[in-house]
Amino acid sequence: MTTQYWLVKSEPDTYAWDTFVRDGRTDWTGVRNYAARLHLKAMRPGDEVLYYHSNEGKAVVGIARVTKEAFPDRTADEDGWVAVELAPVAPLKKPVTLAAIKAEPALKDIALVRQGRLSVMPLKPVEFARIVKLGGRANL
DNA sequence: GCCAACGTTGGC
DNA sequence: GCCAACGTTGGC
C-alpha cells in the first residue's frame, strides 16, 4: 500500500495545531459531510495529512499522520459517521497561507481552492510535497 | 425526482 | 458582519 496524502481543516478556535501537538494524538471526529466521510474511510495508517487552520490563519501549519483507520464517531447522533486517529509529525517553519497556495499554478486545482467547504480532501503526492516545500519542514 | 428554501462553512 | 458556494431538506 503506497502512502496517500490528505488535507484536513480545523478552526484554531476549536482545535488548534498547538493543542494537537500537546495532546500527541487525537480522534478526528465531527465530520458530517458525505464527501468528507468518503475520504476519512479511505485513509490508512501511515498516510500523511496536512493540517490547515481555517477562518483564523487560513494557512497550512503542520504535518500529521494517520495512526488509526476509520472507526465509528461516537460524538455523532446518528450511526454511520466515522473518525480516524491522527498524530502530529512536524510543524511547518512558515505557515503556507491560502493566498500563497492560490498563487501557485501547480496548486490551482486542489479542493482547498476549488471546493471551499470541503473539510477533508485528498492531495496528489506532488501537491503535498509542494506545500511542504513552500513552508519548510521543521521539527516537533 | 425536481427544485426552492434553508443552513452551514469559510473567505473576505 | 456579510455573503457566496454548496450541501441538505422537504413540499409537491
Side-chain angles (χ1 to χ4, degrees), chain A residues 52-70:
Chain A
Y52 176 83
H53 276 170
S54 60
N55 291 323
E56 292 296 315
K58 281 170 290 182
V60 176
V61 293
I63 304 165
R65 184 182 302 278
V66 177
T67 47
K68 217 180 274 178
E69 65 185 5

Side-chain angles (χ1 to χ4, degrees), chain A residues 18-60:
Chain A
D18 287 348
T19 313
F20 180 38
V21 170
R22 205 176 315 129
D23 289 349
R25 53 164 217 89
T26 197
D27 288 348
W28 204 256
T29 56
V31 169
R32 301 289 181 271
N33 169 283
Y34 294 117
R37 181 175 76 181
L38 215 61
H39 297 136
L40 285 182
K41 287 182 173 178
M43 287 185 183
R44 296 292 175 261
D47 286 358
E48 299 201 59
V49 183
L50 291 180
Y51 199 100
Y52 176 83
H53 276 170
S54 60
N55 291 323
E56 292 296 315
K58 281 170 290 182
V60 176

Side-chain angles (χ1 to χ4, degrees), chain A residues 1 7-8 38 111-112 114:
Chain A
M1 171 66 75
L7 182 147
V8 298
L38 215 61
L112 184 68
R114 300 189 53 173

Side-chain angles (χ1 to χ4, degrees), chain A residues 34-118:
Chain A
Y34 294 117
R37 181 175 76 181
L38 215 61
H39 297 136
L40 285 182
K41 287 182 173 178
M43 287 185 183
R44 296 292 175 261
D47 286 358
E48 299 201 59
V49 183
L50 291 180
Y51 199 100
Y52 176 83
H53 276 170
S54 60
N55 291 323
E56 292 296 315
K58 281 170 290 182
V60 176
V61 293
I63 304 165
R65 184 182 302 278
V66 177
T67 47
K68 217 180 274 178
E69 65 185 5
F71 53 89
D73 181 352
R74 295 211 312 267
T75 71
D77 295 333
E78 319 159 344
D79 293 339
W81 297 110
V82 298
V84 295
E85 185 186 80
L86 299 179
V89 170
L92 297 183
K93 288 179 186 160
K94 193 163 72 77
V96 180
T97 63
L98 182 60
I101 288 169
K102 283 182 171 173
E104 278 289 313
L107 299 173
K108 272 270 159 51
D109 287 335
I110 67 171
L112 184 68
V113 176
R114 300 189 53 173
Q115 203 179 341
R117 292 183 55 195
L118 193 61

